[in-house]
Amino acid sequence: MKPVRSGGGWRAIMYTFRKSQEAGGIWKLWKAMRSKNSCKTCALGMGGQKGGMVNELGTFPEVCKKSLQAMTADMQGAIPASYFNTYSVSQMQKFTPRELEHAGRITQPMLYNAGENYYQPISWDDAFDRIASKLKSLTPAETFWYFSGRSSNEAGFLLQLFARLYGTNNVNNCSYYCHQASGVGLSNTFGTGTATLLLEDVEHADLVFVIGGNPSSNHPRLMSTLKHVRRRGGKVIVINPVVEPGMVNFSVPSDPISLVFGTKIASLYVQPHIGGDLALLTAISKRIVERGNHDEQFLNKHTASWPELKAHLESLSVDDLCESAGVDRDTVEQIVDMYAASKNTVFSWTMGITHHAHGVENVEAIGNLACLRGMVGRANAGMLPIRGHSNVQGIGSMGVTPKLKDAIFNSLQSNYGIQLPTDNGMDTLACMEAAHSGTIKFGLCLGGNLYGSNPDAKFAGESLSSLDMLVTLSTTLNTGHAHALAKETIILPVLARDEEPQPTTQESMFNYVRLSDGGPARHQGPKSEIEVISQLGRRVLDDSGPVKWSEMEQTSRIREMIGKVVPGYEAIGQIDQTKKEFQIAGRTFHEPQFATADGRAKLHIHEMPALRPDDRLHLMTVRSEGQFNTVVYEDYDLYRGVDRRDVVLLHPDDLQRLGLQKNQKVSVRSDTGTLNDVLVYEFPGIKAGNALMYYPEANELVPRTRDPRSKTPAFKGIPIEIVP
Ligand SMILES: Nc1nc2c(c(=O)[nH]1)N[C@H]1C(S)=C(S)[C@@H](COP(=O)(O)OP(=O)(O)OC[C@H]3O[C@@H](n4cnc5c(=O)[nH]c(N)nc54)[C@H](O)[C@@H]3O)O[C@H]1N2
Ligand SMILES: Nc1nc2c(c(=O)[nH]1)N[C@H]1C(S)=C(S)[C@@H](COP(=O)(O)OP(=O)(O)OC[C@H]3O[C@@H](n4cnc5c(=O)[nH]c(N)nc54)[C@H](O)[C@@H]3O)O[C@H]1N2
Ligand SMILES: [Mo]
């Protein structure tokens, strides 16, 4: 397979027709896609009351392959009852993520007892009783509660409240494997952890940095915005160790001209080493100041610690920074030229920035660079972490972090007379480690695939298998259901967002809250996530206490509570009457008055990470175009032109240096694990010295090294050796 010449395009359109067949015809799929529900895939945000495939600016149609995949997955038939007595657990372990996903929708609660061969169906009552009696037999500190990012605000809020009233702060979400470094870095700098701008601002920028991300494949709808920027004469700088074909040229399917001719995306494509961004960003900052292109007035008036940053930048050598970044001096000057000439710059980034042991530093360094030219705290410019799951940001807003925000904590205690636990609570990886050591004995996962998303897959399997009980609320099967088997493993089938019997809400990465109407259930059997949580509340907690669990099945009751306690969410209290979607107050900064104590942005000084200590290759584990996280829809990676997943992509120079042949079968070894029978693929698009493999298959190689401040694992930048 050759890499495509342009991302998107006809392939995406043809794909739509193929998928519509799986979904029972184009009309059925069209109706599902146009229903008034937030899109299920990324957090760019589509749908809601404006109708499906419409963005925050009202633009239609915003089509994306990923949303079709997610929708058709939910439109699948039910897993037949015979499935679970045909396939033993050890047979399920041999299935690929794709085969598990394609087994169909889960419609019956299932139980697996360690030592047996098969999952067996159980009734809802039996499942609730088992969970309730297990929870009553444990201490709250022996439990953890993991949330993925596809569930609604209402389900997220209710489950974290349940866990805390039960008595633990071991409450966390997939953000700890994703954008947590962005939240921490942005909060340290601007006092709040999300984008400082609106979609409209990006549309009006004249320069957009896209750092460490591949939106052509992972956030396709951002591509029409980048197209608009280029058409209006604006520029796009892509910083990525891999030349991603879709970031060079992209054919926006909904735009006839772009569809036929493609749209050039990157004005400048910069290839640092994996992990080289901090040095590169610092080099750019230093040259901006040396050339006098900084905004002294903004820095003095609206930031803290400018003199310290200035002195620090003076003490560094541009040549050392360039060497460390793996970027030459000329390229740095080109970036500085473009940034200095820009009137409105937007900085966007994704996992290439956060998946490092210095992820928070990376984000803070982007903040420094934005502040140097006053490109934050005004319209048409600012900071944009491009979020993953469609409601991961909302789940965070709802208080799904070990420590509740003081405002939520205080308001819950004072408005509702609730006593909340005050222990520190653990992040996701810490919970996995506590499970491994036996101090945690019970886990409940609201969606996701905790096993498949973890670093150190072997360790993750051992951790979850050591639990007394693991409960997952799931729509479809994934590798976790086959490999992470506790003494008792219970799968509870749940409804998808567009099957909810009552409205729910979601939050986009632009801090916009959408209302989803829900819709008719496609299958008998699954329950609403909210119903499941309130049922547990009734059985485990006191229903005559301050929270009446029997009333909590009403999503409007939950919204009433959210409106009272979550800062910026006041308008949600009336949304049932008004149907008015809204922008969360206090998060968009069009004036340089930030949410820090003194209203100023805080600049940061960083030690530069050490140069590579040895000549080992550095590995990134990434997604292909045909997967959504641990769910693999297709084995080929269309844009990069790679036809299978058990491969390691290396630059031709590295093949020569290491004496490797194309298609040679090798083992890949890291300090954590070894993967055998991997094929070497020659891939000129990657910067020499670096390697690319696919997540989740490569997770056995990923160490549990994490960023000390955000606890995000270093899923990128893993030293590896290739063993022929
Ligand atoms: N199709 C599809 N869409 C998705 C998802 C999916 O799995 N599939 N997942 C969703 C989720 S949860 C998320 S978080 C997002 C993820 O979206 P991305 O962050 O785009 O996803 P990754 O595959 O992790 O890719 C990271 C990109 O960063 C580059 N990179 C790796 N290391 C470095 C580095 O050190 N520096 C720099 N500058 N770049 C680096 C890689 O070459 C790659 O292009 O996508 C969301 N959307
Ligand atoms: N090596 C490596 N590891 C990584 C990453 C990487 O780049 N490299 N990326 C990390 C990132 S960014 C993330 S976000 C995590 C992803 O971690 P998770 O969010 O835990 O994993 P997903 O694969 O997105 O979860 C998919 C499952 O969610 C369930 N599901 C789908 N829709 C619904 C719903 O509406 N309700 C419920 N209850 N369940 C539903 C289905 O059962 C499906 O199998 O992985 C992380 N792990
Ligand atoms: Mo993510």
Side-chain angles (χ1 to χ4, degrees):
M1 262 175 102
K2 282 211 175 90
V4 297
R5 290 228 301 283
S6 182
W10 289 108
R11 273 183 212 82
I13 293 177
M14 291 313 291
Y15 190 86
T16 311
F17 286 106
R18 256 194 292 135
K19 276 282 153 187
S20 69
Q21 262 136 30
E22 284 171 38
I26 188 102
W27 173 237
K28 216 166 152 194
L29 181 59
W30 175 254
K31 253 185 32 198
M33 294 299 296
R34 285 288 288 148
S35 74
K36 287 186 179 173
N37 287 290
S38 312
C39 174
K40 296 171 184 175
T41 40
C42 79
L44 209 71
M46 286 303 144
Q49 294 303 298
K50 293 193 181 88
M53 304 191 281
V54 182
N55 70 16
E56 278 150 46
L57 298 174
T59 318
F60 170 83
E62 295 287 337
V63 198
C64 134
K65 243 177 96 167
K66 253 42 67 180
S67 49
L68 293 171
Q69 282 165 342
M71 183 59 84
T72 44
D74 286 345
M75 292 171 80
Q76 293 183 91
I79 300 178
S82 60
Y83 181 93
F84 290 101
N85 47 43
T86 307
Y87 301 111
S88 66
V89 163
S90 45
Q91 281 168 310
M92 284 171 69
Q93 287 170 352
K94 295 202 180 75
F95 289 151
T96 61
R98 188 173 165 277
E99 286 165 331
L100 290 165
E101 164 87 4
H102 282 273
R105 284 287 297 275
I106 312 169
T107 56
Q108 169 81 42
M110 301 300 300
L111 166 71
Y112 173 75
N113 282 313
E116 290 176 359
N117 288 329
Y118 295 90
Y119 269 99
Q120 46 170 299
I122 52 171
S123 69
W124 276 101
D125 266 336
D126 190 6
F128 285 135
D129 286 343
R130 281 168 194 269
I131 300 166
S133 69
K134 180 59 72 187
L135 284 173
K136 285 179 183 163
S137 75
L138 295 172
T139 62
E142 291 173 314
T143 68
F144 80 89
W145 308 76
Y146 170 79
F147 301 52
S148 178
R150 201 181 273 187
S151 299
S152 61
N153 287 333
E154 289 76 3
F157 183 83
L158 198 62
L159 185 60
Q160 67 81 30
L161 186 64
F162 172 86
R164 293 185 212 272
L165 289 179
Y166 170 66
T168 181
N169 282 332
N170 293 337
V171 166
N172 51 61
N173 70 62
C174 62
S175 184
Y176 281 92
Y177 291 165
C178 185
H179 258 298
Q180 196 65 15
S182 304
V184 174
L186 285 169
S187 297
N188 290 346
T189 311
F190 303 106
T192 170
T194 61
T196 64
L197 43 61
L198 308 175
L199 175 58
E200 203 179 329
D201 293 314
V202 193
E203 294 272 343
H204 291 104
D206 63 14
L207 177 63
V208 180
F209 280 85
V210 182
I211 314 174
N214 183 16
S216 54
S217 143
N218 299 327
H219 302 87
R221 282 167 303 207
L222 191 68
M223 301 311 287
S224 33
T225 298
L226 295 177
K227 175 198 79 178
H228 293 150
V229 169
R230 289 304 313 268
R231 284 215 182 136
R232 283 197 345 272
K235 298 195 164 119
V236 174
I237 299 179
V238 177
I239 300 178
N240 195 318
V242 171
V243 178
E244 301 285 12
M247 295 309 293
V248 177
N249 205 323
F250 194 85
S251 301
V252 179
S254 58
D255 177 324
I257 295 180
S258 174
L259 180 61
V260 175
F261 299 105
T263 301
K264 284 209 162 32
I265 300 297
S267 319
L268 180 66
Y269 210 113
V270 182
Q271 277 187 283
H273 280 304
I274 298 174
D277 305 85
L278 182 55
L280 173 63
L281 292 160
T282 309
I284 305 167
S285 288
K286 180 175 167 73
R287 289 295 298 140
I288 286 283
V289 179
E290 278 180 355
R291 288 173 36 167
N293 295 129
H294 58 297
D295 183 342
E296 190 88 37
Q297 212 189 339
F298 180 93
L299 289 160
N300 286 327
K301 222 170 142 188
H302 302 299
T303 70
S305 45
W306 161 230
E308 290 84 348
L309 176 63
K310 189 173 181 193
H312 176 67
L313 290 175
E314 276 164 10
S315 75
L316 299 170
S317 136
V318 180
D319 290 330
D320 287 353
L321 292 169
C322 284
E323 193 192 334
S324 173
V327 176
D328 60 46
R329 196 53 204 259
D330 277 356
T331 307
V332 171
E333 291 309 313
Q334 281 183 59
I335 303 173
V336 174
D337 287 342
M338 287 163 76
Y339 186 32
S342 163
K343 294 197 166 57
N344 297 305
T345 310
V346 166
F347 293 88
S348 71
W349 67 92
T350 24
M351 298 301 105
I353 283 294
T354 61
H355 279 170
H356 291 284
H358 57 278
V360 173
E361 278 95 325
N362 280 343
V363 174
E364 290 172 348
I366 299 174
N368 283 349
L369 188 56
C371 287
L372 281 177
R373 295 209 61 240
M375 288 296 177
V376 56
R378 61 190 182 77
N380 307 334
M383 307 287 281
L384 178 61
I386 309 174
R387 297 267 167 179
H389 270 299
S390 54
N391 195 39
V392 62
Q393 202 172 293
I395 291 287
S397 297
M398 293 302 113
V400 183
T401 47
K403 189 182 177 326
L404 269 178
K405 278 202 184 95
D406 290 342
I408 304 182
F409 183 93
N410 294 334
S411 165
L412 276 173
Q413 303 228 86
S414 63
N415 279 324
Y416 293 93
I418 289 171
Q419 273 304 313
L420 295 165
T422 51
D423 62 283
N424 283 333
M426 286 187 274
D427 60 85
T428 313
L429 195 45
C431 286
M432 293 296 285
E433 290 177 341
H436 202 269
S437 69
T439 50
I440 279 191
K441 301 195 167 79
F442 171 98
L444 184 141
C445 300
L446 180 63
N449 178 357
L450 181 55
Y451 163 77
S453 61
N454 255 267
D456 198 346
K458 184 167 164 280
F459 181 90
E462 290 165 2
S463 294
L464 296 172
S465 305
S466 321
L467 295 172
D468 286 354
M469 184 181 277
L470 176 64
V471 181
T472 58
L473 278 63
S474 312
T475 48
T476 49
L477 289 177
N478 59 48
T479 53
H481 299 122
H483 293 271
L485 297 169
K487 293 191 188 82
E488 262 181 297
T489 307
I490 296 177
I491 309 175
L492 300 177
V494 292
L495 297 169
R497 178 176 302 165
D498 54 345
E499 301 164 351
E500 285 280 348
Q502 296 172 43
T504 61
T505 59
Q506 291 76 29
E507 172 183 328
S508 84
M509 70 192 201
F510 297 105
N511 300 305
Y512 187 75
V513 178
R514 285 193 166 73
L515 179 66
S516 291
D517 283 351
R522 296 190 175 90
H523 298 283
Q524 285 207 324
K527 284 191 190 300
S528 147
E529 295 173 341
I530 291 150
E531 186 189 339
V532 174
I533 302 162
S534 11
Q535 289 273 2
L536 281 178
R538 271 195 250 179
R539 285 172 204 241
V540 179
L541 303 173
D542 178 9
D543 200 34
S544 60
V547 180
K548 305 271 175 300
W549 290 96
S550 41
E551 287 172 19
M552 286 306 179
E553 265 174 48
Q554 297 301 320
T555 59
S556 55
R557 276 288 295 131
I558 309 172
R559 280 189 287 281
E560 216 175 274
M561 244 181 134
I562 296 171
K564 277 210 185 117
V565 305
V566 178
Y569 257 86
E570 294 75 13
I572 205 173
Q574 293 85 51
I575 205 167
D576 288 277
Q577 291 81 48
T578 60
K579 300 259 173 204
K580 253 170 93 180
E581 301 180 325
F582 61 94
Q583 200 67 42
I584 299 165
R587 298 214 189 147
T588 309
F589 296 101
H590 280 159
E591 299 298 328
Q593 176 67 31
F594 301 103
T596 50
D598 62 0
R600 292 166 174 236
K602 171 120 183 52
L603 303 173
H604 296 274
I605 286 166
H606 303 117
E607 292 284 320
M608 287 304 118
L611 286 176
R612 295 182 176 204
D614 49 46
D615 62 0
R616 281 196 286 178
L617 290 159
H618 279 218
L619 171 74
M620 59 166 78
T621 57
V622 297
R623 303 157 164 74
S624 79
E625 194 263 349
Q627 75 184 87
F628 197 91
N629 296 342
T630 68
V631 181
V632 180
Y633 297 102
E634 283 128 17
D635 284 340
Y636 56 88
D637 186 357
L638 185 69
Y639 292 177
R640 297 191 187 106
V642 178
D643 57 358
R644 53 198 290 165
R645 296 178 61 86
D646 52 351
V647 292
V648 55
L649 273 48
L650 298 174
H651 190 272
D653 290 356
D654 286 322
L655 259 71
Q656 206 182 15
R657 179 170 68 91
L658 300 168
L660 297 167
Q661 303 299 318
K662 283 186 222 177
N663 296 322
Q664 185 176 342
K665 217 174 230 183
V666 295
S667 296
V668 180
R669 189 162 67 201
S670 73
D671 293 340
T672 304
T674 303
L675 272 183
N676 297 321
D677 299 328
V678 177
L679 290 184
V680 170
Y681 268 26
E682 186 181 67
F683 193 70
I686 192 166
K687 187 175 178 72
N690 301 277
L692 180 154
M693 290 178 80
Y694 293 113
Y695 139 69
E697 292 87 336
N699 287 14
E700 278 180 48
L701 300 172
V702 182
R704 277 176 282 130
T705 312
R706 75 210 75 170
D707 175 6
R709 288 193 284 169
S710 70
K711 315 294 180 190
T712 313
F715 289 117
K716 323 279 193 247
I718 306 143
I720 53 158
E721 284 163 285
I722 308 279
V723 189

